Amino acid sequence: MRSPAVVLLHEPIEPQQLAGLVVAVAGAAVITVTRPRDLGHWRSWALLLPLASALVRGIVPPIAKLGLAIWPSPLWACLIGYIMSSLVVLTVQRIRKGSFVVQAPREGRFWFALTGISNGLSALSLFAAVRNGPITLVAPLAAIYPLLTVIGVALVLIA
């Protein structure tokens, strides 16, 4: 199995990156094979959700790198990504509720804005890194943020 970055962009894959890929695929296989059979309502097709997410996560950075080769502006890439995300969210809201209006309590708006700013800065950083570095280095580093978040939260809760 070859990475889109290796195939499309002809980037070299280092042995440690290959080892990480093998460990990730093996982990997904172990979770699939060893899951208990008595989960009741759990459906096997639900395992496709994390696999589809991983597929999208693996395909998007090389496509973004190709786009940044044509138009080398991480800021515009981030803006276009946010506009498309907003259109999807508003379309789903319109279909579900019949209106574009999203109701939110006043207290939650501050945290929503703070989260949006943080997410926007992270997306901008990711696009800048993708523009300036190899995907085979940038994408795995960006993908470990949940692990770093868990470790950070654990350190805060322990202290």
Side-chain angles (χ1 to χ4, degrees):
M1 179 177 169
R2 297 187 138 219
S3 162
V6 174
V7 173
L8 294 175
L9 303 172
H10 306 290
E11 291 187 5
I13 187 162
E14 301 293 326
Q16 65 270 22
Q17 294 164 330
L18 183 60
L21 178 66
V22 168
V23 167
V25 171
V30 166
I31 290 171
T32 303
V33 172
T34 61
R35 71 184 175 99
R37 298 292 176 206
D38 61 346
L39 289 177
H41 66 280
W42 180 262
R43 301 288 180 244
S44 295
W45 64 265
L47 292 171
L48 294 176
L49 295 174
L51 293 175
S53 173
L55 179 68
V56 168
R57 187 111 172 128
I59 289 175
V60 168
I63 292 172
K65 179 103 174 172
L66 290 172
L68 287 167
I70 296 167
W71 191 1
S73 174
L75 185 60
W76 277 101
C78 191
L79 180 63
I80 290 168
Y82 264 82
I83 288 171
M84 296 310 294
S85 295
S86 297
L87 288 174
V88 168
V89 168
L90 290 172
T91 301
V92 168
Q93 176 71 12
R94 174 75 175 172
I95 291 169
R96 290 181 68 212
K97 303 288 185 178
S99 168
F100 288 119
V101 178
V102 178
Q103 299 293 329
R106 182 176 277 297
E107 301 83 27
R109 293 179 189 174
F110 168 75
W111 293 108
F112 180 79
L114 187 64
T115 301
I117 291 168
S118 298
N119 193 20
L121 290 173
S122 72
L124 182 60
S125 300
L126 176 67
F127 285 128
V130 163
R131 177 177 175 244
N132 296 315
I135 296 293
T136 53
L137 175 64
V138 172
L141 288 175
I144 65 166
Y145 84 87
L147 177 62
L148 297 178
T149 301
V150 168
I151 291 170
V153 168
L155 291 175
V156 168
L157 292 177
I158 291 172

